[in-house]
Amino acid sequence: MSDYQLVSLQQRLIDFSIWLGFGIGVAFMVWLAVRRPMLGVMLIIGIIAFLLGIMLFFGLDGVLSLRRAVPALLVVAILFPPIRLPGGIPDVRPEFIIAVIAWGLLLLSHLATGLPIRLRKYPSYKWFGLFGLSILVSMAYAGIIKNQLIIGRDFQELIKLLLYFLIFTLIANQDIKPTSFKHYYKLALVVLMLSAFFGFMQYIDFAGINQVLSPYYAPTQMRGLLVHGRITGTTPNPNEFGALMVLAISLAISGVLFFQERKTRLLCWVALPVFGLALFLTMSRTSLVATFLAVGLILILFLRQRGIKYKWRRIVALVVFIFIVGCFILQVAPEKALFRYSQLANFTEATSWVGRVENWNTHFALWMESPLFGWGPGKSTMGTIVDNEWLLLMRRYGVIGLVVFLGLFGSLFIGLCRIRSVNTEVSIVALTVALQGTFAGYALYMMLASIYHSLQLMPIFLLFLGLAYSQYKPRIRTQEVSKL
């Protein structure tokens, strides 16, 4: 037999093996779908997700590029609901799956080529590690000294932190050119507007959306949506959607103030009333106050930024525009929303505030029993709903854990200051200022709700932080840079 015939026979055997394996796989999935419908559906979904992942990262040219994951993560994190799993299995956010697949492909590439995985050296890395260590220390202390029962769910907090770190590191180490930055900024505004429009459709129950799609996003908030008209958008509850709109409004206002290009500024002007109305319809008083704080810091940073002309003209135009939009919203707003926001004048007398104070007293007393190291996650005996994330962090990880957490957030905030000071690209400056304003708003928001423990809000925030940190310029010029 000639070499040509041998090669041809080998190719035929390979083709036959591929088609045979494909046929066996299809037959197995059909059998599984008939005998075990849930497992069959999960397997089919997994295969489809795998194929989509291959297309996402390899594209049509077959070349691995993790930069393709950036827009996909923005769209998925903001617009997609979590993947609901049967039984007691926790829900999974799709952006976590994309991030894990990306790192898996990066590891496989390293093993196949032998090229090292190089990452930029950010100061925040050590704070991620220290916070993970503080979680372990608090769990060990609570289990050994306080005889607190440690269960498997407690370790989910470590997995959560690891997933946060993977998302931030994946985006922060991308080689994103400043010219591409504006495209991501505009994409973020468009995606956030789509999220807001989804909330508007919920408010009018367009095409029965509240019976078909809304339960996938907010299954526990349907009564508030149907009875009280509090929209949840593409998040699990109205308060989280309000917090998402704090970020959206910060991006729009920062864009209005900093961008010079007319089309980009027009997009920001159009987006601003959309986000404002969506925020108002959430009826989230905490988010409304957080927005004012975020906008205030953005205005201060804009006035301090050098090299920007016509500052006061832009601020006056923005204030007049916000006043006009505010008057319009007040005219079309439902009475329930006006009543809820009117309670801000005497918020200490509101029923929700009184309930929160009672809950705070309970968890504050628990923290006082273990002030230094806390109780760990304590999911076996302690509640997870505290209505004050700062208190929840302190109760779980003690003063030490809270200090480390503040170090993590402080490091990320200070890094934004450095990025803004060494970059002249307008889109980079606008994003860093918007994120600093959002930091301030979220710090207030966390006094009454959760950001870090929200499996949707925190990844979204870290995505934008990662985008900003991709423009971080190290102090040492010889520092190695990732080639993701």
Side-chain angles (χ1 to χ4, degrees):
M1 181 179 293
S2 65
D3 293 340
Y4 175 78
Q5 291 175 327
L6 182 61
V7 171
S8 178
L9 179 60
Q10 290 177 343
Q11 185 62 43
R12 290 179 182 179
L13 289 175
I14 292 174
D15 293 341
F16 175 76
S17 300
I18 293 174
W19 282 107
L20 179 63
F22 179 76
I24 293 174
V26 171
F28 175 74
M29 285 190 293
V30 172
W31 175 84
L32 191 62
V34 174
R35 298 295 299 271
R36 298 289 182 86
M38 182 59 68
L39 289 177
V41 170
M42 292 178 62
L43 180 60
I44 293 172
I45 293 175
I47 293 174
I48 294 174
F50 175 76
L51 295 176
L52 291 176
I54 295 297
M55 293 177 60
L56 170 65
F57 293 110
F58 288 91
L60 298 177
D61 54 5
V63 179
L64 175 63
S65 175
L66 297 183
R67 284 194 294 271
R68 297 190 181 101
V70 177
L73 283 170
L74 279 174
V75 173
V76 167
I78 295 173
L79 296 181
F80 280 46
I83 300 173
R84 311 279 178 190
L85 300 178
I89 305 176
D91 299 338
V92 179
R93 289 293 311 173
E95 59 268 26
F96 289 154
I97 297 177
I98 294 177
V100 171
I101 292 175
W103 279 104
L105 292 174
L106 185 63
L107 180 60
L108 289 176
S109 177
H110 161 68
L111 295 176
T113 62
L115 296 176
I117 301 175
R118 295 187 177 94
L119 303 175
R120 297 185 180 100
K121 296 180 181 179
Y122 297 126
S124 55
Y125 287 167
K126 65 182 179 183
W127 290 106
F128 274 102
L130 288 173
F131 189 56
L133 180 61
S134 67
I135 294 175
L136 282 173
V137 170
S138 65
M139 291 172 63
Y141 179 82
I144 297 173
I145 305 300
K146 294 293 186 177
N147 296 320
Q148 171 71 25
L149 177 64
I150 305 298
I151 61 176
R153 289 177 56 211
D154 292 338
F155 290 93
Q156 292 177 7
E157 297 304 312
L158 289 171
I159 298 175
K160 179 191 300 181
L161 180 64
L162 176 61
L163 292 173
Y164 289 167
F165 176 76
L166 292 179
I167 287 179
F168 171 76
T169 308
L170 176 67
I171 305 300
N173 284 277
Q174 299 296 321
D175 184 16
I176 301 176
K177 303 300 182 183
T179 53
S180 302
F181 219 81
K182 187 185 300 181
H183 299 298
Y184 288 124
Y185 202 106
K186 291 189 288 188
L187 174 64
L189 290 173
V190 171
V191 173
L192 287 167
M193 278 197 288
L194 291 176
S195 178
F197 285 130
F198 186 86
F200 299 154
M201 289 190 292
Q202 286 180 327
Y203 184 72
I204 62 176
D205 196 16
F206 178 80
I209 192 174
N210 293 331
Q211 287 71 42
V212 180
L213 291 179
S214 294
Y216 288 99
Y217 289 92
T220 63
Q221 301 293 322
M222 295 309 298
R223 184 178 183 277
L225 175 60
L226 298 174
V227 177
H228 302 291
R230 298 189 65 188
I231 64 174
T232 63
T234 55
T235 65
N237 62 67
N239 287 326
E240 290 195 22
F241 191 47
L244 181 62
M245 290 300 102
V246 173
L247 172 62
I249 291 173
S250 298
L251 290 171
I253 287 183
S254 186
V256 165
L257 294 175
F258 285 98
F259 279 115
Q260 302 293 328
E261 185 182 1
R262 182 172 299 178
K263 291 183 179 179
T264 307
R265 292 188 67 219
L266 179 61
L267 176 62
C268 296
W269 281 114
V270 172
L272 189 54
V274 174
F275 298 149
L277 180 59
L279 172 64
F280 204 87
L281 292 178
T282 64
M283 304 185 197
S284 174
R285 293 164 293 194
T286 305
S287 299
L288 181 64
V289 178
T291 300
F292 282 113
L293 182 59
V295 172
L297 181 57
I298 290 172
L299 292 175
I300 293 173
L301 293 176
F302 174 70
L303 289 174
R304 294 183 60 185
Q305 188 73 20
R306 296 180 180 179
I308 304 293
K309 297 181 180 180
Y310 313 114
K311 293 181 180 179
W312 289 107
R313 185 181 301 177
R314 292 199 174 192
I315 289 179
V316 170
L318 177 62
V319 171
V320 171
F321 183 76
I322 291 176
F323 177 77
I324 295 173
V325 171
C327 291
F328 171 75
I329 292 176
L330 290 176
Q331 293 297 320
V332 301
E335 293 184 3
K336 289 183 178 179
L338 296 175
F339 173 74
R340 281 184 59 86
Y341 290 122
S342 67
Q343 290 182 318
L344 287 172
N346 300 293
F347 66 93
T348 56
E349 300 177 3
T351 305
S352 59
W353 175 265
V354 175
R356 279 188 168 92
V357 172
E358 293 178 357
N359 196 21
W360 295 347
N361 290 333
T362 299
H363 291 277
F364 184 80
L366 289 172
W367 168 70
M368 288 295 293
E369 296 178 12
S370 181
L372 196 59
F373 296 104
W375 293 90
K379 296 181 180 181
S380 61
T381 58
M382 300 181 183
T384 59
I385 300 176
V386 181
D387 294 323
N388 186 322
E389 194 161 29
W390 298 113
L391 179 58
L392 175 61
L393 289 166
M394 196 162 57
R395 190 213 71 193
R396 283 184 167 181
Y397 314 122
V399 173
I400 293 178
L402 180 62
V403 170
V404 174
F405 182 82
L406 289 172
L408 171 60
F409 265 45
S411 173
L412 292 170
F413 184 88
I414 293 173
L416 292 175
C417 297
R418 173 169 174 77
I419 295 168
R420 178 167 53 87
S421 64
V422 298
N423 284 280
T424 57
E425 174 64 30
V426 175
S427 56
I428 299 174
V429 175
L431 179 63
T432 54
V433 170
L435 291 176
Q436 287 182 291
T438 305
F439 256 113
Y442 280 178
L444 174 65
Y445 179 90
M446 290 169 65
M447 294 181 180
L448 297 167
S450 296
I451 294 293
Y452 172 80
H453 290 92
S454 169
L455 291 178
Q456 185 173 11
L457 288 179
M458 191 62 185
I460 292 173
F461 193 38
L462 288 173
L463 279 172
F464 284 99
L465 286 171
L467 280 174
Y469 269 76
S470 68
Q471 306 303 309
Y472 188 95
K473 296 180 180 179
R475 297 180 184 278
I476 302 176
R477 294 184 178 181
T478 57
Q479 186 175 0
E480 291 180 327
V481 177
S482 168
K483 296 182 179 180
L484 293 184

